[in-house]
Amino acid sequence: MGLFDKFKNISTSIAVLEDKCSAFFHIVVEDLLSSTEAVIDGRKVILAGTNNYLGLPLRQECIKAACDAIQREGTGTTGSRMANGTYSSHIEFEKDLSDFFGRSTTIVFTTGYSANLAMLSTLVGPRDTVLLDADCHASIYDGCRLGGVQVFRFHHNDVEDLEKRLKRLKSQDGEVLIVVEGLYSMLGDRAPLADIVALKEKYHAYLLVDEAHSLGVLGEKGRGLAEEAGVEAEVDFIVGTFSKSLGSVGGFCTSNHEELEIIRYASRPYVFTASSSPANIAAAKAALSIIRSEPQLRVRLWENATALYGRLKDMGFKVGPEPSPIIPVRCDRIEEAFRIWNGLLENGVYVNMVLPPATPDGTALLRCSLSAAHSRQQVEKIAQAFGAVQSPV
Amino acid sequence: MKADKVVLEKIVEILQPHVSGGVEITPAMDIESDLAIDSLKSMEILANLEDAFDLSIPINVLSEVRTVEDLAIQVQKLIEA
């Protein structure tokens, strides 16, 4: 019995995939040509699976801010936020985020993953209860597991199912935290947040919303689903990432509970990791400033998203439940997903391929994500590539 | 602790549609290796069990479960709590 024997099933699955869809394991961006184009395997492709919703990683303001920060503060902090790794730029950006969200307190974490890991492992403990949407991100599940809180799942976006589970909990001790996402990363649909807020109030629970995919994407000011749904005051904690709309690396939690500050001292994923690099903080700060000053980026993103969603739907593809910058195309058979994904690449389009068990309902997904940086012509080329690989009816 | 017969039978009934090839489920079977039920499907089955027994079953119990009987024991503990 060897150390690696437990991975036998994974090895077998990889071997099957290698045989049928070898390119899947060899996606390397050899040359990044723009926010929406790259050279992969020697071929120029349109990038339609990058979560780069606003095209900010290559904006000159962000690049310059990152370069200046490196010149000024170096390439890394070499320490935890609790030791030598808190620079004035971390504090300033926490203030920026508090101001943007209209909240009293913000903590910046090193990644979006560690933001969820830190919050879910620390905010609630073994006496408490988390009710989470079944489609929540792995970082939320992992945080719950690390802290040992009792976890119950409710069916994805099913408010009745959530209430059924809240009713059953009535006699339990401890606090209840409901966890949902603004935009779900696989299906691209929104949480029914106003209804969830009503239940949170009715059952005296707390509510945490992960706006990883909705920051800069939803809401008049880009603050996410809570803003769009008009329920910001009722959402206790907003968690987010810098690695999507903000085009950097990092994460945060913001709240009007001033006691949030205590998490810094109690959270292992905050204490025992190096802080974000000065370049990452500077780039995210510059990107947030752009999100605040250029609402037209969101308008362009949604025009692109709505156009592609409509084109794919009209062609008969099984798209997600609503138009969104995340557009999943469902394939009932994995072999069909391989064929279309390979065909898209040959036609100069890269999308994500997500296979079970990572998909919500066991089907294979071809996941497109749109950007404000895509031109109308590129959106049309993506649609045409799908058309070219469509199975004859 | 041994699993209650009624609880065990109900669990087998709920697991059966998730098992392919007409396999007859026995208490000693390993849910993952013998029944080919992965972690995601296990969590869905747990939700079905919650409804069947009108009970709150945290997904944390899955770390204590390998066999069908283990699952029945965990459910029984929660019923008796």
Side-chain angles (χ1 to χ4, degrees):
Chain A
M1 184 72 182
L3 199 55
F4 295 98
D5 286 0
K6 57 183 165 291
F7 303 116
K8 201 175 165 191
N9 288 346
I10 297 178
S11 302
T12 307
S13 300
I14 290 171
V16 171
L17 269 170
E18 277 277 11
D19 184 43
K20 294 182 176 172
C21 196
S22 64
F24 181 70
F25 294 102
H26 306 288
I27 291 295
V28 175
V29 175
E30 292 156 5
D31 197 5
L32 190 66
L33 304 173
S34 71
S35 289
T36 56
E37 286 180 314
V39 175
I40 292 176
D41 198 18
R43 184 190 293 126
K44 185 176 161 183
V45 298
I46 297 172
L47 298 169
T50 59
N51 304 315
N52 181 6
Y53 300 120
L54 301 179
L56 300 184
L58 286 177
R59 278 283 292 255
Q60 283 309 307
E61 301 95 310
C62 300
I63 292 170
K64 183 174 186 313
C67 289
D68 288 350
I70 288 178
Q71 291 289 350
R72 199 172 53 246
E73 297 175 335
T75 52
T77 66
T78 70
S80 158
R81 292 291 307 268
M82 292 304 288
N84 60 296
T86 292
Y87 289 15
S88 57
S89 53
H90 294 94
I91 303 292
E92 279 171 25
F93 193 40
E94 284 173 347
K95 286 180 183 161
D96 280 3
L97 286 162
S98 291
D99 181 59
F100 177 65
F101 283 101
R103 291 178 187 254
S104 64
T105 312
T106 300
I107 303 177
V108 160
F109 298 92
T110 307
T111 64
Y113 178 88
S114 64
N116 270 331
L117 203 65
M119 291 307 299
L120 273 306
S121 65
T122 315
L123 194 59
V124 279
R127 279 172 50 82
D128 302 314
T129 298
V130 161
L131 276 156
L132 51 79
D133 186 288
D135 284 7
C136 276
H137 189 261
S139 56
I140 293 170
Y141 282 88
D142 291 354
C144 290
R145 184 187 280 189
L146 182 62
V149 66
Q150 299 280 293
V151 182
F152 302 90
R153 298 161 92 226
F154 60 94
H155 297 315
H156 175 55
N157 275 351
D158 188 336
V159 177
E160 280 180 25
D161 194 55
L162 171 59
E163 179 156 32
K164 188 165 67 181
R165 280 162 171 72
L166 279 164
K167 273 182 189 165
R168 285 197 190 122
L169 293 177
K170 263 184 173 174
S171 61
Q172 296 208 353
D173 291 338
E175 303 295 337
V176 177
L177 177 69
I178 300 168
V179 184
V180 297
E181 297 185 15
L183 270 182
Y184 284 91
S185 60
M186 288 295 130
L187 299 183
D189 50 349
R190 296 165 168 85
L193 203 55
D195 293 338
I196 289 168
V197 160
L199 288 182
K200 165 234 143 112
E201 301 278 305
K202 184 176 172 184
Y203 291 91
H204 309 292
Y206 291 88
L207 176 59
L208 183 150
V209 180
D210 182 349
E211 302 266 23
H213 289 270
S214 36
L215 167 62
V217 170
L218 295 177
E220 193 185 336
K221 304 287 185 190
R223 294 198 293 263
L225 181 63
E227 185 201 359
E228 185 188 74
V231 294
E232 286 176 289
E234 289 78 20
V235 174
D236 297 280
F237 306 97
I238 297 226
V239 173
T241 180
F242 307 160
S243 62
K244 296 179 170 61
S245 292
L246 291 172
S248 181
V249 177
F252 69 91
C253 177
T254 189
S255 176
N256 273 330
H257 293 281
E258 289 178 4
E259 303 94 320
L260 181 68
E261 280 290 338
I262 203 73
I263 296 289
R264 294 185 199 271
Y265 303 91
S267 172
R268 299 174 70 83
Y270 180 82
V271 173
F272 295 105
T273 194
S275 63
S276 300
S277 76
N280 282 329
I281 292 291
K285 187 176 164 68
L288 185 67
S289 175
I290 293 170
I291 285 177
R292 298 180 86 152
S293 62
E294 298 185 25
Q296 63 271 27
L297 288 175
R298 275 188 298 289
V299 174
R300 204 177 310 148
L301 168 66
W302 278 94
E303 284 172 357
N304 287 342
T306 309
L308 184 64
Y309 183 89
R311 289 279 279 120
L312 296 181
K313 194 173 183 184
D314 289 347
M315 279 189 253
F317 285 103
K318 294 179 190 168
V319 291
E322 58 186 84
S324 163
I326 299 164
I327 306 174
V329 170
R330 289 169 191 257
C331 301
D332 294 331
R333 293 182 308 109
I334 287 177
E335 291 73 17
E336 182 71 352
F338 293 161
R339 189 189 67 75
I340 297 177
W341 186 83
N342 274 318
L344 289 171
L345 210 53
E346 283 164 14
N347 279 275
V349 173
Y350 169 78
V351 302
N352 306 125
M353 180 165 62
V354 193
L355 303 173
T359 51
D361 57 3
T363 59
L365 291 181
L366 297 169
R367 178 184 177 278
C368 311
S369 61
L370 272 289
S371 174
H374 282 121
S375 67
R376 287 285 170 85
Q377 292 79 4
Q378 286 177 320
V379 173
E380 182 52 32
K381 278 185 186 170
I382 297 166
Q384 286 172 359
F386 269 95
V389 298
Q390 192 170 24
S391 295
V393 177
Chain B
M1 185 174 183
K2 264 191 86 68
D4 178 86
K5 192 167 173 263
V6 177
V7 172
L8 199 51
E9 281 173 2
K10 189 71 188 169
I11 287 174
V12 169
E13 181 190 320
I14 287 169
L15 287 173
Q16 200 69 63
H18 298 277
V19 178
S20 55
V23 174
E24 191 182 335
I25 300 172
T26 62
M29 279 181 162
D30 187 296
I31 292 174
E32 194 178 336
S33 60
D34 294 333
L35 303 181
I37 291 174
D38 62 32
S39 57
L40 194 67
K41 215 184 267 182
S42 292
M43 288 194 282
E44 286 163 17
I45 288 166
L46 222 52
N48 295 341
L49 291 173
E50 284 187 288
D51 292 341
F53 291 100
D54 192 23
L55 187 69
S56 291
I57 311 174
I59 62 173
N60 313 55
V61 304
L62 290 174
S63 61
E64 309 287 322
V65 169
R66 283 197 62 183
T67 66
V68 177
E69 183 161 32
D70 292 341
L71 181 57
I73 288 169
Q74 291 299 325
V75 170
Q76 201 176 315
K77 276 185 192 169
L78 289 164
I79 290 171
E80 290 168 3

